[in-house]
Amino acid sequence: MTDRSLYVSPAGVRRRGWTDAMVRELLGLPDVQGRDPRRYAPRPVRLYLLARVEAVERTPEFAAASTALVEARRSAAVGVLAGTRRAAVLAAIRAEPIEVPRLPAAELERRAVRHRHLLTARAPAGRGGPAPAGSLVRWQVGYLRQALGRYETLLDGLYGDTGRREAERLLRRRLYEAIAAAYPALAGECARRIALESA
């Protein structure tokens, strides 16, 4: 009969931080394998000599395998965290009510033109002459889109490509839809911008 204090079961090896793959690669076959004479068990008993397990745990191969395991678990945890953050941001964007400033038509035109002049004053000198047809509508949508810039804070917490593009597209679409609902005359330009960004 085997002295159980000198051996460790597969479950005991896993509790020490081993995976099944590490056991197969580093320990190989069990030191004791067979039926337990004290009680009936449908599966054979497999035991590893504790001294051998401890000796393998001191090898560079075990250290490398353990490091790889920790990195894989950390990477998986980061992926789960990023996915959770992305889902929370998308839900917040979908749920956030968008409040578009309501202005009389003349005031909206005046502000849109002023906003456009401020933008072109900062831009390098280039084209002059009259504005192309439909410019005022584009400028109004541009001004209103800029006025709704505070909603960009909904994107906080998304970095890199972890869902940021999708969240930005969703936010822009919601902003343009809100502008179109508040100003039906601008709906065509809003739809055009949504279509451009979806392509």
Side-chain angles (χ1 to χ4, degrees):
M1 188 145 150
T2 322
D3 182 2
R4 290 289 184 122
S5 63
L6 300 176
Y7 293 88
V8 62
S9 68
V13 173
R14 281 192 294 275
R15 280 193 297 272
R16 295 175 68 94
W18 292 66
T19 64
D20 290 338
M22 290 167 65
V23 170
R24 278 191 307 275
E25 292 171 17
L26 301 175
L27 282 178
L29 294 174
D31 296 302
V32 174
Q33 187 168 354
R35 301 277 177 204
D36 189 342
R38 293 174 292 177
R39 62 187 154 88
Y40 172 77
R43 301 185 78 197
V45 173
R46 294 178 302 146
L47 299 174
Y48 296 92
L49 192 60
L50 183 58
R52 188 165 72 96
V53 171
E54 290 171 343
V56 172
E57 288 175 346
R58 291 188 291 271
T59 64
E61 291 84 6
F62 181 82
S66 294
T67 303
L69 178 64
V70 167
E71 289 301 318
R73 286 179 178 164
R74 183 177 298 135
S75 176
V78 167
V80 167
L81 181 62
T84 302
R85 186 181 316 124
R86 176 184 155 278
V89 169
L90 290 174
I93 291 171
R94 286 186 188 100
E96 185 70 22
I98 309 291
E99 297 175 17
V100 179
R102 304 287 179 139
L103 302 169
E107 178 64 15
L108 178 59
E109 287 178 14
R110 188 184 69 72
R111 289 186 185 191
V113 169
R114 189 178 79 210
H115 180 257
R116 178 64 179 183
H117 287 304
L118 289 172
L119 289 177
T120 54
R122 288 188 211 140
R127 218 186 52 196
S135 294
L136 185 57
V137 170
R138 286 193 299 278
W139 296 351
Q140 289 172 333
V141 172
Y143 166 74
L144 290 168
R145 173 66 183 83
Q146 186 68 31
L148 297 173
R150 68 184 179 275
Y151 291 101
E152 298 287 332
T153 59
L154 292 171
L155 299 172
D156 289 352
L158 289 180
Y159 306 102
D161 285 339
T162 312
R164 183 155 182 108
R165 283 192 210 134
E166 180 185 359
E168 286 173 344
R169 271 195 305 272
L170 175 62
L171 179 61
R172 283 192 298 264
R173 191 183 86 231
R174 290 224 45 233
L175 294 176
Y176 288 134
E177 287 171 352
I179 292 169
Y183 297 94
L186 305 178
E189 174 62 14
C190 291
R192 184 187 73 80
R193 291 186 183 204
I194 291 171
L196 278 175
E197 292 181 8
S198 298

